[in-house]
PDB file of all heavy atoms in Angstrom:
ATOM      1  N   GLY A  60      17.153 -12.470  -0.364  1.00 93.00           N
ATOM      2  CA  GLY A  60      17.965 -11.578  -1.185  1.00 93.00           C
ATOM      3  C   GLY A  60      17.328 -11.035  -2.408  1.00 93.00           C
ATOM      4  O   GLY A  60      17.970 -10.345  -3.203  1.00 93.00           O
ATOM      5  N   VAL A  61      16.043 -11.370  -2.655  1.00 92.00           N
ATOM      6  CA  VAL A  61      15.318 -10.981  -3.873  1.00 92.00           C
ATOM      7  C   VAL A  61      15.108  -9.463  -3.800  1.00 92.00           C
ATOM      8  O   VAL A  61      14.788  -8.928  -2.764  1.00 92.00           O
ATOM      9  CB  VAL A  61      14.005 -11.712  -4.011  1.00 92.00           C
ATOM     10  CG1 VAL A  61      13.181 -11.251  -5.199  1.00 92.00           C
ATOM     11  CG2 VAL A  61      14.289 -13.223  -4.164  1.00 92.00           C
ATOM     12  N   ASN A  62      15.189  -8.785  -4.937  1.00 92.00           N
ATOM     13  CA  ASN A  62      14.871  -7.380  -5.087  1.00 92.00           C
ATOM     14  C   ASN A  62      15.664  -6.465  -4.160  1.00 92.00           C
ATOM     15  O   ASN A  62      15.203  -5.375  -3.810  1.00 92.00           O
ATOM     16  CB  ASN A  62      13.408  -7.072  -4.945  1.00 92.00           C
ATOM     17  CG  ASN A  62      12.617  -7.672  -6.084  1.00 92.00           C
ATOM     18  OD1 ASN A  62      12.995  -7.565  -7.226  1.00 92.00           O
ATOM     19  ND2 ASN A  62      11.421  -8.207  -5.764  1.00 92.00           N
ATOM     20  N   GLY A  63      16.861  -6.849  -3.777  1.00 94.00           N
ATOM     21  CA  GLY A  63      17.729  -6.057  -2.910  1.00 94.00           C
ATOM     22  C   GLY A  63      17.463  -6.140  -1.415  1.00 94.00           C
ATOM     23  O   GLY A  63      18.122  -5.455  -0.652  1.00 94.00           O
ATOM     24  N   PHE A  64      16.533  -6.982  -1.000  1.00 97.00           N
ATOM     25  CA  PHE A  64      16.231  -7.183   0.406  1.00 97.00           C
ATOM     26  C   PHE A  64      17.243  -8.157   0.989  1.00 97.00           C
ATOM     27  O   PHE A  64      17.816  -9.006   0.332  1.00 97.00           O
ATOM     28  CB  PHE A  64      14.817  -7.770   0.578  1.00 97.00           C
ATOM     29  CG  PHE A  64      13.718  -6.693   0.372  1.00 97.00           C
ATOM     30  CD1 PHE A  64      13.240  -6.550  -0.865  1.00 97.00           C
ATOM     31  CD2 PHE A  64      13.267  -5.953   1.417  1.00 97.00           C
ATOM     32  CE1 PHE A  64      12.238  -5.567  -1.151  1.00 97.00           C
ATOM     33  CE2 PHE A  64      12.252  -5.045   1.179  1.00 97.00           C
ATOM     34  CZ  PHE A  64      11.745  -4.840  -0.105  1.00 97.00           C
ATOM     35  N   THR A  65      17.443  -8.086   2.318  1.00 97.00           N
ATOM     36  CA  THR A  65      18.335  -8.968   3.090  1.00 97.00           C
ATOM     37  C   THR A  65      17.597  -9.604   4.211  1.00 97.00           C
ATOM     38  O   THR A  65      16.966  -8.899   5.060  1.00 97.00           O
ATOM     39  CB  THR A  65      19.539  -8.201   3.557  1.00 97.00           C
ATOM     40  OG1 THR A  65      20.281  -7.545   2.538  1.00 97.00           O
ATOM     41  CG2 THR A  65      20.492  -9.143   4.384  1.00 97.00           C
ATOM     42  N   ASP A  66      17.616 -10.919   4.300  1.00 97.00           N
ATOM     43  CA  ASP A  66      16.979 -11.572   5.423  1.00 97.00           C
ATOM     44  C   ASP A  66      17.817 -11.253   6.709  1.00 97.00           C
ATOM     45  O   ASP A  66      19.035 -11.240   6.677  1.00 97.00           O
ATOM     46  CB  ASP A  66      16.955 -13.110   5.218  1.00 97.00           C
ATOM     47  CG  ASP A  66      16.024 -13.524   4.047  1.00 97.00           C
ATOM     48  OD1 ASP A  66      15.197 -12.726   3.712  1.00 97.00           O
ATOM     49  OD2 ASP A  66      16.207 -14.665   3.554  1.00 97.00           O
ATOM     50  N   ILE A  67      17.053 -11.036   7.789  1.00 98.00           N
ATOM     51  CA  ILE A  67      17.729 -10.723   9.058  1.00 98.00           C
ATOM     52  C   ILE A  67      17.038 -11.568  10.149  1.00 98.00           C
ATOM     53  O   ILE A  67      15.970 -12.031   9.995  1.00 98.00           O
ATOM     54  CB  ILE A  67      17.581  -9.195   9.414  1.00 98.00           C
ATOM     55  CG1 ILE A  67      16.116  -8.803   9.468  1.00 98.00           C
ATOM     56  CG2 ILE A  67      18.371  -8.409   8.382  1.00 98.00           C
ATOM     57  CD1 ILE A  67      15.948  -7.365   9.941  1.00 98.00           C
ATOM     58  N   PRO A  68      17.828 -11.805  11.281  1.00 97.00           N
ATOM     59  CA  PRO A  68      17.164 -12.569  12.360  1.00 97.00           C
ATOM     60  C   PRO A  68      16.093 -11.748  13.053  1.00 97.00           C
ATOM     61  O   PRO A  68      16.194 -10.498  13.116  1.00 97.00           O
ATOM     62  CB  PRO A  68      18.343 -12.843  13.294  1.00 97.00           C
ATOM     63  CG  PRO A  68      19.360 -11.781  12.968  1.00 97.00           C
ATOM     64  CD  PRO A  68      19.209 -11.413  11.506  1.00 97.00           C
ATOM     65  N   ASP A  69      15.128 -12.414  13.646  1.00 97.00           N
ATOM     66  CA  ASP A  69      14.066 -11.719  14.350  1.00 97.00           C
ATOM     67  C   ASP A  69      14.564 -11.014  15.572  1.00 97.00           C
ATOM     68  O   ASP A  69      13.928 -10.087  16.065  1.00 97.00           O
ATOM     69  CB  ASP A  69      12.964 -12.711  14.757  1.00 97.00           C
ATOM     70  CG  ASP A  69      12.101 -13.234  13.555  1.00 97.00           C
ATOM     71  OD1 ASP A  69      12.064 -12.458  12.546  1.00 97.00           O
ATOM     72  OD2 ASP A  69      11.557 -14.315  13.653  1.00 97.00           O
ATOM     73  N   SER A  70      15.740 -11.383  15.980  1.00 97.00           N
ATOM     74  CA  SER A  70      16.356 -10.716  17.221  1.00 97.00           C
ATOM     75  C   SER A  70      17.070  -9.415  16.902  1.00 97.00           C
ATOM     76  O   SER A  70      17.389  -8.705  17.840  1.00 97.00           O
ATOM     77  CB  SER A  70      17.308 -11.672  17.898  1.00 97.00           C
ATOM     78  OG  SER A  70      18.333 -12.006  16.969  1.00 97.00           O
ATOM     79  N   LEU A  71      17.274  -9.085  15.628  1.00 97.00           N
ATOM     80  CA  LEU A  71      18.046  -7.875  15.276  1.00 97.00           C
ATOM     81  C   LEU A  71      17.247  -6.632  15.690  1.00 97.00           C
ATOM     82  O   LEU A  71      16.039  -6.418  15.389  1.00 97.00           O
ATOM     83  CB  LEU A  71      18.264  -7.810  13.782  1.00 97.00           C
ATOM     84  CG  LEU A  71      19.224  -6.666  13.346  1.00 97.00           C
ATOM     85  CD1 LEU A  71      20.606  -6.783  13.944  1.00 97.00           C
ATOM     86  CD2 LEU A  71      19.286  -6.653  11.779  1.00 97.00           C
ATOM     87  N   SER A  72      17.979  -5.752  16.427  1.00 96.00           N
ATOM     88  CA  SER A  72      17.397  -4.473  16.881  1.00 96.00           C
ATOM     89  C   SER A  72      18.201  -3.357  16.296  1.00 96.00           C
ATOM     90  O   SER A  72      19.445  -3.437  16.136  1.00 96.00           O
ATOM     91  CB  SER A  72      17.370  -4.355  18.381  1.00 96.00           C
ATOM     92  OG  SER A  72      16.401  -5.267  18.925  1.00 96.00           O
ATOM     93  N   GLY A  73      17.553  -2.282  15.983  1.00 97.00           N
ATOM     94  CA  GLY A  73      18.217  -1.073  15.503  1.00 97.00           C
ATOM     95  C   GLY A  73      17.665   0.128  16.139  1.00 97.00           C
ATOM     96  O   GLY A  73      16.970   0.078  17.172  1.00 97.00           O
ATOM     97  N   GLN A  74      17.837   1.302  15.566  1.00 97.00           N
ATOM     98  CA  GLN A  74      17.333   2.565  16.050  1.00 97.00           C
ATOM     99  C   GLN A  74      15.911   2.691  15.480  1.00 97.00           C
ATOM    100  O   GLN A  74      15.664   2.444  14.303  1.00 97.00           O
ATOM    101  CB  GLN A  74      18.225   3.680  15.566  1.00 97.00           C
ATOM    102  CG  GLN A  74      17.732   5.076  15.916  1.00 97.00           C
ATOM    103  CD  GLN A  74      18.604   6.155  15.330  1.00 97.00           C
ATOM    104  OE1 GLN A  74      19.620   5.876  14.723  1.00 97.00           O
ATOM    105  NE2 GLN A  74      18.191   7.381  15.471  1.00 97.00           N
ATOM    106  N   GLY A  75      15.053   3.133  16.371  1.00 97.00           N
ATOM    107  CA  GLY A  75      13.642   3.421  15.983  1.00 97.00           C
ATOM    108  C   GLY A  75      13.563   4.611  15.047  1.00 97.00           C
ATOM    109  O   GLY A  75      14.132   5.658  15.355  1.00 97.00           O
ATOM    110  N   VAL A  76      12.988   4.446  13.940  1.00 95.00           N
ATOM    111  CA  VAL A  76      12.843   5.558  12.933  1.00 95.00           C
ATOM    112  C   VAL A  76      11.476   5.478  12.327  1.00 95.00           C
ATOM    113  O   VAL A  76      10.832   4.386  12.324  1.00 95.00           O
ATOM    114  CB  VAL A  76      13.884   5.477  11.761  1.00 95.00           C
ATOM    115  CG1 VAL A  76      15.292   5.674  12.324  1.00 95.00           C
ATOM    116  CG2 VAL A  76      13.790   4.132  11.001  1.00 95.00           C
ATOM    117  N   GLY A  77      10.911   6.603  11.876  1.00 90.00           N
ATOM    118  CA  GLY A  77       9.656   6.513  11.175  1.00 90.00           C
ATOM    119  C   GLY A  77       8.405   6.261  11.996  1.00 90.00           C
ATOM    120  O   GLY A  77       7.307   6.248  11.479  1.00 90.00           O
ATOM    121  N   GLY A  78       8.612   6.060  13.235  1.00 93.00           N
ATOM    122  CA  GLY A  78       7.419   5.852  14.167  1.00 93.00           C
ATOM    123  C   GLY A  78       7.144   4.449  14.503  1.00 93.00           C
ATOM    124  O   GLY A  78       7.825   3.523  14.071  1.00 93.00           O
ATOM    125  N   ALA A  79       6.134   4.325  15.359  1.00 97.00           N
ATOM    126  CA  ALA A  79       5.724   2.977  15.854  1.00 97.00           C
ATOM    127  C   ALA A  79       4.235   3.139  16.252  1.00 97.00           C
ATOM    128  O   ALA A  79       3.718   4.203  16.258  1.00 97.00           O
ATOM    129  CB  ALA A  79       6.559   2.596  17.107  1.00 97.00           C
ATOM    130  N   GLY A  80       3.606   1.969  16.469  1.00 97.00           N
ATOM    131  CA  GLY A  80       2.208   1.998  16.889  1.00 97.00           C
ATOM    132  C   GLY A  80       1.868   0.772  17.615  1.00 97.00           C
ATOM    133  O   GLY A  80       2.605  -0.193  17.694  1.00 97.00           O
ATOM    134  N   ALA A  81       0.669   0.795  18.197  1.00 97.00           N
ATOM    135  CA  ALA A  81       0.082  -0.382  18.879  1.00 97.00           C
ATOM    136  C   ALA A  81      -1.324  -0.670  18.376  1.00 97.00           C
ATOM    137  O   ALA A  81      -2.006   0.228  17.911  1.00 97.00           O
ATOM    138  CB  ALA A  81       0.033  -0.092  20.373  1.00 97.00           C
ATOM    139  N   MET A  82      -1.703  -1.923  18.390  1.00 97.00           N
ATOM    140  CA  MET A  82      -2.993  -2.328  17.948  1.00 97.00           C
ATOM    141  C   MET A  82      -3.640  -3.184  19.057  1.00 97.00           C
ATOM    142  O   MET A  82      -2.934  -3.936  19.720  1.00 97.00           O
ATOM    143  CB  MET A  82      -2.875  -3.212  16.654  1.00 97.00           C
ATOM    144  CG  MET A  82      -2.150  -2.547  15.569  1.00 97.00           C
ATOM    145  SD  MET A  82      -1.719  -3.729  14.246  1.00 97.00           S
ATOM    146  CE  MET A  82      -0.497  -4.760  14.992  1.00 97.00           C
ATOM    147  N   VAL A  83      -4.970  -3.056  19.155  1.00 96.00           N
ATOM    148  CA  VAL A  83      -5.709  -3.804  20.169  1.00 96.00           C
ATOM    149  C   VAL A  83      -7.024  -4.299  19.495  1.00 96.00           C
ATOM    150  O   VAL A  83      -7.673  -3.512  18.800  1.00 96.00           O
ATOM    151  CB  VAL A  83      -6.034  -2.973  21.391  1.00 96.00           C
ATOM    152  CG1 VAL A  83      -6.899  -3.758  22.406  1.00 96.00           C
ATOM    153  CG2 VAL A  83      -4.825  -2.412  22.016  1.00 96.00           C
ATOM    154  N   ILE A  84      -7.384  -5.535  19.759  1.00 96.00           N
ATOM    155  CA  ILE A  84      -8.702  -6.013  19.391  1.00 96.00           C
ATOM    156  C   ILE A  84      -9.294  -6.598  20.659  1.00 96.00           C
ATOM    157  O   ILE A  84      -8.620  -7.022  21.558  1.00 96.00           O
ATOM    158  CB  ILE A  84      -8.734  -6.989  18.195  1.00 96.00           C
ATOM    159  CG1 ILE A  84      -7.897  -8.235  18.475  1.00 96.00           C
ATOM    160  CG2 ILE A  84      -8.335  -6.344  16.913  1.00 96.00           C
ATOM    161  CD1 ILE A  84      -7.996  -9.335  17.450  1.00 96.00           C
ATOM    162  N   ASP A  85     -10.642  -6.579  20.752  1.00 93.00           N
ATOM    163  CA  ASP A  85     -11.310  -7.015  21.945  1.00 93.00           C
ATOM    164  C   ASP A  85     -11.753  -8.444  22.054  1.00 93.00           C
ATOM    165  O   ASP A  85     -11.827  -8.999  23.140  1.00 93.00           O
ATOM    166  CB  ASP A  85     -12.506  -6.102  22.189  1.00 93.00           C
ATOM    167  CG  ASP A  85     -12.107  -4.624  22.470  1.00 93.00           C
ATOM    168  OD1 ASP A  85     -11.082  -4.433  23.079  1.00 93.00           O
ATOM    169  OD2 ASP A  85     -12.843  -3.775  22.013  1.00 93.00           O
ATOM    170  N   PHE A  86     -12.022  -9.053  20.948  1.00 90.00           N
ATOM    171  CA  PHE A  86     -12.573 -10.441  20.950  1.00 90.00           C
ATOM    172  C   PHE A  86     -11.929 -11.296  19.958  1.00 90.00           C
ATOM    173  O   PHE A  86     -12.204 -11.145  18.797  1.00 90.00           O
ATOM    174  CB  PHE A  86     -14.086 -10.413  20.789  1.00 90.00           C
ATOM    175  CG  PHE A  86     -14.638 -11.833  20.995  1.00 90.00           C
ATOM    176  CD1 PHE A  86     -14.757 -12.365  22.287  1.00 90.00           C
ATOM    177  CD2 PHE A  86     -15.029 -12.614  19.896  1.00 90.00           C
ATOM    178  CE1 PHE A  86     -15.255 -13.628  22.442  1.00 90.00           C
ATOM    179  CE2 PHE A  86     -15.471 -13.933  20.085  1.00 90.00           C
ATOM    180  CZ  PHE A  86     -15.610 -14.400  21.369  1.00 90.00           C
ATOM    181  N   PRO A  87     -11.060 -12.182  20.376  1.00 94.00           N
ATOM    182  CA  PRO A  87     -10.496 -12.349  21.701  1.00 94.00           C
ATOM    183  C   PRO A  87      -9.520 -11.158  21.889  1.00 94.00           C
ATOM    184  O   PRO A  87      -8.961 -10.644  20.966  1.00 94.00           O
ATOM    185  CB  PRO A  87      -9.816 -13.674  21.732  1.00 94.00           C
ATOM    186  CG  PRO A  87      -9.454 -13.944  20.321  1.00 94.00           C
ATOM    187  CD  PRO A  87     -10.539 -13.258  19.487  1.00 94.00           C
TER     188      PRO A  87
END
Side-chain angles (χ1 to χ4, degrees):
V61 174
N62 291 320
F64 287 88
T65 302
D66 292 341
I67 59 174
D69 288 336
S70 60
L71 185 63
S72 289
Q74 176 184 355
V76 295
M82 304 170 291
V83 178
I84 58 174
D85 293 326
F86 185 75

